[in-house]
């Protein structure tokens, strides 16, 4: 009997045998996932969704409800369930130079179903072919395939109340399932369900005592505690007064890390860090967070921004994490966001180990990333690498390539990153607490060790300040420029300049094109790449009117240190005294910085007359500010007098030689 079909009307008839077969196929879905066929029947839209989800999991794709349509009676009568990569890719970024990653490929794979008069649903059309790669081994990561069943939720909650840490909690499920690949959920799903900090007995009381003590010691100490709807502690943030003062000096570039204490000690700790004038890391705020999702990171970033006087950083370095990326776009929309290169490269084994030629793939990828001196070189090397090993369908590599402006050295060196490295040796998210905690450290013990650890950092900085004041590295040339940097920069940063000065011996001036306004110099350098060397061409552009010198290696833009190519051009032009714009205040040893005036409770600075005078003036300033805050006229008078006092004191400092302008 020939099939008769009227879509959208009151009649939908099929051969009786077809209906029976389709019904039988639907019953057997749990036992065996068969390919979809026109005529298959289901009891509900949810049943269709469950079937197609299981089918997609087996074949290697994820699904989503695409559309539905109601009839005249207002009841849903048509539904389309499609591959989750359906739809055309869209550029959601307003900045054409900051394109966002996109998973949509306009895939046409889908199932269409119509409601029958008896209330059941029947498949009436489908497309099975996909226009993208399928990966059954990776489908467990799709959200539609991740399921934290009720008994698992209950067990996680019970273990949480019993003070069993998340990693041990999850490990028991992994052992029972026979491996991570057999779990129906990932660790993030578990953390998101608990939505509160996992703290041991006495931890909350210890934290409150710690915060009260810090506030008594210094009124500028900042902290806030975030509770969920059940009154359980969810997130915590704090920053001591020195961190807040340090942000004013060194908050232009910030590192944010969540991995250090979590990976080593299972403490959900995150911290913000900067780089001081010696190239040392300084703490700019701490947090304890219950989840690593966009909502939690958004709360943490907004809280930190409020603590830091509403001043966002110019640039921020984080791990390769989508949730962090989204939160940064929300809270710091104008900040340049860079991913930690070493964090990405550490994933090579996990992401690419399954390939037969893994070792060759790893070396080839590393060469493309580390050895490319320009964007063009990277594009060419990456293209050859992907083509050689037929990696066009690898989603992880595709995503990295689309976001290359966030992590590839050739793309990020056009901006100042305060010397935070992108080299092959890796860039460590600086660990502040090495030597103060161990694998058995509790949160209470960690808080006890917080101040000694910070005090050690302060001592290290003070020692470097003293060394830069009391000693100097001898000059190795007779050039006036070297003496300039010797007198201006800290020892650590002067050493960096000297390395570039010495690097001249590896460079040769190849050609020069003179112009009326701009001149172009071409230099050839023997570049070291691991154990090998190869010649590389660099171009330096000079503004003849103001002696502005720009090199395409971008070292000055990236690290704030003149490169060897710029130095060679200055010497060739017989410019032996460097223009002031190339000597940065940020690396100066002569600038008196406000964060050094901040007392921390674990040192004896408070008893010194200098500290007492500092606090006395601050308290007086606060009283004046309270009186003047309600009036714009009063505020202007206060600011005018402060500016006048600042000018007078700066002139006095200049005469005394303590703070000579750079």
């Amino acid at each position: 009997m020939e099939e008769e079909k009227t879509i959208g009307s009151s009649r939908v008839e099929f051969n009786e045998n077809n209906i029976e077969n389709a019904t039988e196929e639907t019953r057997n879905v749990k036992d065996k996932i068969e390919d979809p066929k026109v005529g298959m029947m289901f009891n509900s839209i949810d049943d269709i969704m469950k079937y197609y989800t299981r089918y997609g999991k087996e074949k290697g794709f994820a699904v989503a409800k695409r559309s539905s349509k109601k009839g005249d009676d207002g009841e849903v009568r048509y539904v389309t369930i499609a591959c989750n990569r359906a739809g055309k890719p869209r550029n959601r970024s307003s900045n054409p130079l900051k394109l966002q990653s996109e998973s949509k490929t306009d895939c046409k794979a889908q199932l269409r179903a119509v409601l029958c008069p008896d209330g059941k649903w029947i498949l009436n059309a489908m497309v099975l072919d996909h226009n993208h790669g399928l990966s059954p081994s990776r489908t467990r990561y799709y959200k539609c395939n991740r399921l934290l069943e009720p008994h698992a939720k209950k067990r996680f909650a019970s273990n949480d109340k019993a003070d069993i840490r998340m990693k041990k909690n999850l490990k028991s499920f992994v052992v029972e399932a026979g491996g991570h690949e057999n779990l129906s959920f990932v660790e993030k799903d578990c953390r998101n369900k608990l939505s509160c900090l996992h703290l041991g007995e006495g931890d909350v009381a210890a934290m409150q005592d710690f915060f009260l003590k810090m506030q008594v010691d210094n009124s500028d100490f900042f902290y806030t505690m975030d509770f969920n709807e059940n009154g359980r502690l969810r997130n915590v943030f704090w920053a001591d007064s020195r961190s807040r003062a340090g942000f004013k000096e060194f908050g232009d570039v910030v590192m944010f890390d969540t991995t250090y204490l979590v990976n080593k000690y299972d403490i959900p700790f995150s911290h913000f860090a900067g780089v001081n004038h010696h190239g040392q890391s300084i703490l700019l705020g701490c947090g304890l967070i219950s989840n690593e999702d966009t909502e939690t990171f958004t709360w943490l970033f907004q809280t930190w921004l409020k603590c830091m006087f509403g001043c966002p950083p110019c640039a921020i370095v984080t791990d390769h994490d989508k949730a962090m990326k989204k939160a940064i776009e929300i809270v710091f929309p104008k900040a340049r966001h860079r991913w930690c290169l070493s964090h990405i490269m550490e994933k090579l084994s996990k992401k690419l180990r399954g390939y037969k030629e893994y070792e060759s793939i790893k070396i080839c990828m590393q060469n493309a990333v580390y050895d490319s001196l320009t964007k063009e070189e990277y594009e060419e090397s990456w293209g050859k690498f992907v083509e050689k090993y037929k990696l066009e369908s690898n989603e992880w590599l595709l995503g990295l390539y689309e976001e290359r402006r966030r992590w590839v050295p050739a793309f990020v060196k056009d901006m100042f990153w305060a010397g935070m490295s992108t080299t092959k040796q890796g860039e460590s998210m600086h660990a502040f607490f090495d030597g103060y905690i161990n694998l058995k450290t509790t949160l209470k013990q960690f808080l006890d060790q917080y101040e000694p650890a910070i005090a050690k950092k302060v001592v290290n900085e003070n020692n470097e300040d003293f060394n830069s004041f009391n000693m100097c590295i001898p000059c190795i040339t007779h050039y006036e420029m070297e003496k300039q940097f010797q007198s201006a920069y800290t020892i650590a940063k002067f050493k960096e300049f000297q390395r570039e000065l010495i690097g001249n011996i590896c460079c040769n001036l190849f050609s020069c094109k003179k112009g009326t306004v701009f001149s172009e110099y071409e230099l050839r350098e023997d570049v070291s790449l691991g154990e090998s060397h190869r010649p590389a061409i660099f171009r330096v552009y000079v503004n003849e009117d103001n002696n502005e010198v720009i090199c395409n290696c971008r070292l000055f833009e990236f690290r704030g240190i003149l490169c060897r190519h710029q130095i060679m051009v200055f010497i060739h032009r017989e410019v032996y005294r460097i223009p002031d714009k190339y000597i940065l205040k940020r690396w100066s040893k002569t600038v008196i910085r406000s964060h050094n005036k901040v007392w921390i409770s674990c040192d004896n600075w408070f008893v010194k007359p200098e500290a007492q005078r500092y606090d006395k003036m601050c308290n007086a300033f606060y009283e004046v500010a309270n009186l003047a805050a309600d009036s714009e006229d009063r505020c202007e008078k206060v600011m005018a007098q402060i500016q006048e006092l600042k000018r007078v004191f700066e002139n006095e400092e200049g005469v005394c030689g303590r703070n000579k302008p750079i």
Side-chain angles (χ1 to χ4, degrees), residues 203-218 221-225 233 235-239 286-288 447 450:
D203 281 347
V204 173
M207 196 182 307
Q208 290 175 329
D209 290 343
F210 170 74
F211 291 157
L212 288 173
K213 175 184 179 299
M214 296 294 282
Q215 276 203 321
V216 168
D217 290 340
N218 195 300
F221 180 82
F222 180 102
Y223 80 94
T224 184
M225 306 173 80
L233 185 61
N235 305 300
V236 180
F237 171 81
W238 75 91
C286 306
L288 297 172
L447 294 174
Y450 173 85

Side-chain angles (χ1 to χ4, degrees), residues 256 272 297-305 327-328 331-332:
F256 175 70
F272 299 85
F297 287 134
T298 299
W299 176 87
L300 186 63
F301 293 157
Q302 288 175 337
T303 303
W304 181 78
L305 183 62
I328 288 171
V331 184
F332 310 125

Side-chain angles (χ1 to χ4, degrees), residues 94-135:
S94 58
N95 187 340
L97 298 179
K98 292 186 177 182
L99 300 180
Q100 308 298 318
S101 59
E102 179 59 73
S103 63
K104 302 299 183 183
T105 63
D106 200 22
C107 181
K108 302 299 183 184
Q110 59 182 248
L111 300 183
R112 291 183 184 175
V114 63
L115 182 65
C116 298
D118 62 358
K120 293 189 176 183
W121 289 83
I122 190 165
L123 298 187
N124 71 310
M126 65 195 64
V127 177
L128 299 183
D129 294 332
H130 298 259
N131 66 355
H132 55 87
L134 305 180
S135 178

Side-chain angles (χ1 to χ4, degrees), residues 5-21:
K5 184 167 39 173
T6 307
I7 304 300
S9 67
S10 59
R11 293 186 64 205
V12 179
E13 296 182 8
F14 286 86
N15 180 292
E16 210 170 45
N17 292 330
N18 287 345
I19 295 177
E20 289 178 1
N21 291 338

Side-chain angles (χ1 to χ4, degrees), residues 15 62 182 189 274 295 402 414 493 515 533 540 550 567 591 601:
N15 180 292
N182 297 323
D189 299 325
E295 181 182 0
E402 291 174 348
D414 61 338
K493 291 302 169 179
H533 297 79
V540 178
I550 300 172
I567 293 172
V591 173
S601 60

Side-chain angles (χ1 to χ4, degrees), residues 370-645:
Y370 294 120
D371 297 349
S372 298
L373 301 176
T374 65
K375 298 176 184 178
E376 293 75 20
E377 285 185 25
Y378 167 80
E379 297 283 4
E380 182 180 354
S381 298
W382 185 271
K384 290 180 179 178
F385 150 66
V386 170
E387 182 181 358
K388 179 179 179 180
Y389 296 103
K390 296 180 173 56
L391 298 170
E392 292 86 354
S393 61
N394 187 291
E395 293 187 8
W396 183 67
L397 290 177
L398 179 61
L400 286 180
Y401 177 75
E402 291 174 348
E403 295 282 8
R404 56 196 179 280
R405 289 173 177 81
R406 293 185 187 272
W407 64 281
V408 177
F411 285 87
V412 302
K413 63 183 181 180
D414 61 338
M415 183 172 176
F416 182 66
W417 294 97
M420 296 180 192
S421 174
T422 61
T423 61
K424 191 176 297 187
Q425 288 71 27
E427 52 182 318
S428 167
M429 288 296 193
H430 301 277
F432 285 88
F433 303 98
D434 279 338
Y436 292 89
I437 55 179
N438 55 52
L439 291 172
K440 296 181 179 180
T441 300
T442 64
L443 178 59
K444 182 179 183 302
Q445 292 169 332
F446 165 67
L447 294 174
D448 289 339
Q449 293 298 317
Y450 173 85
E451 287 185 277
I454 298 303
K456 179 62 176 176
K457 289 288 182 181
V458 174
V459 169
N460 291 342
E461 182 176 330
N462 290 340
N463 286 339
E464 287 301 314
D465 281 342
F466 174 75
N467 290 337
S468 293
F469 166 77
N470 187 55
M471 298 183 293
C472 67
I473 303 295
C475 291
I476 58 176
T477 72
H478 62 277
Y479 294 128
E480 176 65 20
M481 66 176 68
E482 188 177 10
K483 296 177 182 177
Q484 276 182 273
F485 286 98
Q486 182 194 50
S487 63
Y489 275 13
T490 61
I491 287 177
K493 291 302 169 179
F494 176 59
K495 285 181 178 180
E496 289 187 36
F497 171 79
Q498 271 195 333
R499 283 197 292 271
E500 293 304 311
L501 186 61
I502 295 171
N504 267 296
I505 64 175
C506 299
C507 303
N508 289 301
L509 187 59
F510 190 67
S511 68
C512 174
K513 297 177 183 177
K514 289 283 187 177
T516 54
V517 179
F518 290 96
S519 297
E520 178 183 330
Y521 293 81
E522 192 170 273
L523 293 86
R524 179 174 292 172
E525 179 186 356
D526 188 23
V527 177
S528 174
L529 299 172
E531 297 181 357
S532 62
H533 297 79
R534 73 173 174 89
I537 302 298
F538 295 93
R539 290 178 175 82
V540 178
Y541 303 92
V542 179
N543 187 322
E544 298 289 347
D545 293 334
N546 58 15
N547 263 337
E548 182 179 8
V549 178
I550 300 172
C551 179
N552 67 350
C553 80
R554 312 296 279 182
L555 182 72
F556 180 75
E557 288 77 7
F558 180 75
R559 301 185 68 88
I561 300 292
L562 274 179
C563 72
R564 58 196 63 186
H565 317 116
Q566 291 169 304
I567 293 172
M568 172 165 275
V569 169
F570 275 127
I571 294 173
H572 176 77
R573 293 169 56 83
E574 298 183 355
V575 177
Y576 300 116
R577 184 167 184 84
I578 300 297
D580 290 345
K581 64 174 294 183
Y582 295 108
I583 304 178
L584 302 187
K585 176 183 175 182
R586 203 187 193 288
W587 308 134
S588 171
K589 65 181 178 182
T590 61
V591 173
I592 298 175
R593 305 179 192 275
S594 60
H595 77 293
N596 287 325
K597 294 281 195 292
V598 177
W599 168 68
I600 57 173
S601 60
C602 44
D603 66 16
N604 62 352
W605 194 82
F606 186 68
V607 301
K608 298 177 182 178
E610 184 182 0
Q612 294 174 356
R613 290 193 295 269
Y614 184 81
D615 272 10
K616 181 179 180 180
M617 288 186 289
C618 285
N619 292 332
F621 289 153
Y622 291 143
E623 292 177 10
V624 173
N626 287 332
L627 292 171
D630 295 334
S631 168
E632 184 65 30
D633 184 55
R634 288 182 178 181
C635 178
E636 291 297 329
K637 289 179 180 178
V638 171
M639 294 306 298
Q641 292 194 36
I642 289 176
Q643 291 298 323
E644 177 59 22
L645 284 172

